[in-house]
Amino acid sequence: MQVSPQSSSQEIERFVERAKQTYDDELAVKLEPEHTGEIVAIEPDSGAYFLGNDEIEAADNARAAGHRGPFYFLRVGSRYAHRLMTPRR
């Protein structure tokens, strides 16, 4: 199932969960700790993944290999690509 900007929030949530499950079940063991901190682009429908130093490089690597996405990005060793924090007061 392809997701797009027109996809429902439930479809997007299922896409994200499939990508996270792919990471947990298959990719974490392959990529950690050698690639910890790099960005991985996951195409959950195919199981394909591509690494890069940032989202652009990971997507470029995916496209160079003939994959068009959509992709879910996360940082190897983390559940997220970025972590936003509020300043301490």
Side-chain angles (χ1 to χ4, degrees):
M1 177 185 88
Q2 292 288 326
V3 293
S4 71
Q6 293 79 28
S7 296
S8 71
S9 59
Q10 293 85 8
E11 291 170 326
I12 293 169
E13 286 176 29
R14 284 194 297 272
F15 173 82
V16 169
E17 286 308 312
R18 284 195 324 273
K20 287 181 178 180
Q21 196 67 48
T22 298
Y23 181 82
D24 290 342
D25 293 350
E26 302 169 26
L27 301 179
V29 108
K30 290 180 184 179
L31 301 177
E32 296 173 13
E34 186 177 333
H35 297 283
T36 297
E38 292 179 52
I39 296 293
V40 60
I42 302 169
E43 192 178 57
D45 293 330
S46 70
Y49 68 94
F50 305 90
L51 294 166
N53 291 316
D54 57 30
E55 291 91 339
I56 305 256
E57 185 177 1
D60 286 347
N61 290 337
R63 292 194 192 334
H67 292 262
R68 304 208 73 58
F71 304 107
Y72 182 76
F73 298 92
L74 59 80
R75 191 169 301 279
V76 175
S78 175
R79 296 290 287 162
Y80 308 97
H82 300 283
R83 183 174 167 202
L84 301 176
M85 299 177 63
T86 57
R88 292 187 180 170
R89 294 181 187 228

